[in-house]
Amino acid sequence: MTSIGIHDLELATAHHVVDLTRLAEAGGTDPAKYHLGLGQDQMSFPAPDEDIITMGASAALPLLERNGIEGLRTILFATESGVDQSKAAGVSVHHLLGLPRQVRVTEFKQACYGGTAALQAAIGIVSRFPHERVLVIASDVARYELDSPGEPTQGAGAVAMLVSADPALVEIEPATGLFTDDVDDFWRPNDSSTAVVDGALSVSAYLDALTGSWDDLQARGGPGIDDVDRILYHQPFTKMAKKGQQRLVEHTGASLSTALTAAEQAAAGAARDTGLVTGSIYNRRLGNSYTASLYAALAALIDHDADLAGRRIGMFSYGSGSVSEFITGIVQPGYASRRGAERVAAALEARVPLEVAEYRELHARAYPSAADVETPRITRAPFRFAGLQGRARRYERTAG
Ligand code: CAA
């Protein structure tokens, strides 16, 4: 059977960054709560002329420049911060990228799980049409109410992935573990720009979904814990990955490191390092990017782990509400040529810091569709949200 999986991937983020030490100090909170308690250092924050579409197109552009568009007939855009109830965000991306009309485009939604749903659908399409390639984009802006417990876990980011037969990066294996449970742990009503969350319930629902999907993976003949070399988790905040690893250790009895920092890792003794520290390098600085978060962890691992060729990666995808899936993949021999550590580091460093007052003002800013508006030119990304005209969103290419 032909191998199918991720041929290449690229990460993009927003123009601004909020430093969590500053946010903590402004709110009278001990910064250690954010850095150690949540495992977060910064959060990306979009400029007024950025959104999920500009980030998604910015992630996809270099991917298509590197790989061309031959065989590209499908774009699957996963998000839970969609900008329209009807039109798929990927249609605007299709236009911005100047793609031919012979492309199907649609949007996937199931909280943070949507990216994995899109990846699996892409694999299904390629298994039917092995000469086609599918562009999967996971893009989100995570936003909670100001001064709420979720506020320091906000963030923004997009990951674009090209899915094909004989992938150069990661072959996704067929066995997969699933778990769905109707639970009100986190959601965003249509009339709210911020998420509603029961924090404690969301953490326990995530952990139950992890063991549930792991057990299903085992029942479906997937690899045992000793045959999984690295494990990546959806990271609403990186400490959640540590909690997941702790739960998997209890559940399987395996001796896996639960260290989340290099210092903790040095003291971890004989417990096996499955990449918890490496997989959290980008998410610590992006904040939550919902559908993109697990794939930002994959990007971090690929970019920073020099011993991945032939290794099996386990990936736990969780979407509140809830749907989750534990998938596995084998890293391909030539993966090192696809590494993008310098590009991502440059993008993270280039973000423009916001003072807390500026961030709070931007957080409150909204562009209701009823009034035509031109957004200020802020972003240096290749694409921008230009504003609203006749209630429709307008996007354009920048000089960036
Ligand atoms: N120094 C070091 N650590 C400190 C500290 C200090 N001074 N003060 C507190 N801490 C630690 C706490 O001990 C705690 O650690 P443990 O979890 O290991 O016990 C941690 O900091 C968090 O503190 P609290 O328990 O007081 O929790 P909180 O009220 O600040 O809220 C939260 C935490 C519920 C996760 C909140 O950030 C939240 O609601 N986040 C959004 C929801 C979320 O991300 N849920 C995760 C699962 S759902 C999901 O995965 C989908 C998704 O993307 C949203």
Side-chain angles (χ1 to χ4, degrees):
M1 198 175 134
T2 319
S3 75
I4 304 174
I6 304 168
H7 184 66
D8 199 359
L9 96 174
E10 186 75 33
L11 178 104
T13 187
H15 182 75
H16 288 299
V17 60
V18 178
D19 181 84
L20 291 194
T21 298
R22 305 289 276 258
L23 185 69
E25 286 169 353
T29 300
D30 178 358
K33 175 173 179 182
Y34 296 167
H35 297 299
L36 302 175
L38 297 175
Q40 290 303 125
D41 298 329
Q42 300 175 331
M43 59 192 197
S44 284
F45 202 87
D49 57 347
E50 292 181 315
D51 65 11
I52 54 160
I53 289 173
T54 62
M55 288 192 302
S58 300
L61 180 66
L63 203 61
L64 299 189
E65 285 173 347
R66 282 203 294 275
N67 297 282
I69 61 164
E70 200 188 323
L72 182 64
R73 285 174 59 80
T74 307
I75 300 174
L76 305 180
F77 195 112
T79 188
E80 59 176 301
S81 38
V83 293
D84 193 274
Q85 293 282 13
S86 174
K87 182 176 178 179
V91 176
S92 303
V93 172
H94 171 272
H95 171 72
L96 287 172
L97 296 175
L99 293 172
R101 294 196 192 280
Q102 290 68 36
V103 176
R104 69 170 71 78
V105 185
T106 194
E107 191 162 307
F108 277 64
K109 177 176 74 177
Q110 179 21 63
C112 308
Y113 169 70
T116 304
L119 175 62
Q120 288 291 25
I123 290 169
I125 290 169
V126 175
S127 61
R128 179 149 193 201
F129 304 107
H131 298 297
E132 291 192 9
R133 299 186 295 173
V134 178
L135 176 61
V136 171
I137 299 173
S139 182
D140 267 303
V141 176
R143 198 160 287 189
Y144 297 92
E145 273 184 38
L146 292 173
D147 305 316
S148 71
E151 184 184 17
T153 71
Q154 295 174 119
V159 173
M161 298 181 270
L162 203 57
V163 175
S164 73
D166 298 322
L169 215 46
V170 183
E171 173 190 349
I172 301 296
E173 297 185 289
T176 174
L178 299 170
F179 189 85
T180 286
D181 186 21
D182 188 356
V183 53
D184 293 331
D185 63 329
F186 167 108
W187 67 102
R188 185 166 67 82
N190 280 345
D191 56 355
S192 176
S193 62
T194 53
V196 181
V197 61
D198 179 336
L201 178 62
S202 74
V203 170
S204 66
Y206 176 116
L207 295 175
D208 291 346
L210 169 62
T211 51
S213 56
W214 174 260
D215 288 347
D216 187 48
L217 179 70
Q218 300 309 295
R220 307 284 297 185
I225 193 74
D226 294 337
D227 293 321
V228 183
D229 302 301
R230 306 284 187 273
I231 305 173
L232 300 174
Y233 297 86
H234 166 58
Q235 296 173 25
F237 49 96
T238 70
K239 178 79 164 289
M240 194 66 232
K242 180 186 176 87
K243 289 177 189 287
Q245 182 93 328
Q246 284 166 335
R247 175 62 71 89
L248 208 54
V249 165
E250 284 162 24
H251 192 66
T252 62
S255 174
L256 312 177
S257 168
T258 58
L260 191 55
T261 61
E264 285 175 9
Q265 184 56 41
R272 185 157 64 92
D273 177 6
T274 59
L276 205 55
V277 178
T278 313
S280 67
I281 290 174
Y282 295 156
N283 284 316
R284 270 188 169 274
R285 301 181 65 187
L286 292 171
N288 197 352
S289 56
Y290 291 159
T291 53
S293 157
L294 175 61
Y295 299 97
L298 177 61
L301 191 73
I302 285 169
D303 289 353
H304 297 93
D305 188 330
D307 181 30
L308 274 188
R311 303 274 181 202
R312 176 178 282 119
I313 305 178
M315 294 190 271
F316 173 61
S317 179
Y318 176 76
S320 288
S322 73
V323 179
S324 59
E325 183 163 356
F326 204 113
I327 61 176
T328 62
I330 307 292
V331 180
Q332 300 302 291
Y335 86 97
S337 66
R338 309 257 151 184
R339 295 167 87 186
E342 284 173 16
R343 289 195 304 277
V344 178
L348 290 170
E349 283 307 314
R351 289 174 301 172
V352 176
L354 286 174
E355 291 304 328
V356 172
E358 295 171 308
Y359 143 72
R360 288 176 72 94
E361 189 272 320
L362 273 185
H363 188 285
R365 195 181 294 191
Y367 292 112
S369 71
D372 284 4
V373 67
E374 278 182 33
T375 53
R377 290 184 174 273
I378 309 282
T379 185
R380 292 188 217 116
F383 306 103
R384 63 184 295 274
F385 166 51
L388 286 145
Q389 219 174 39
R391 302 200 78 178
R393 296 174 80 85
R394 297 280 170 246
Y395 292 88
E396 62 190 17
R397 182 135 199 185
T398 66

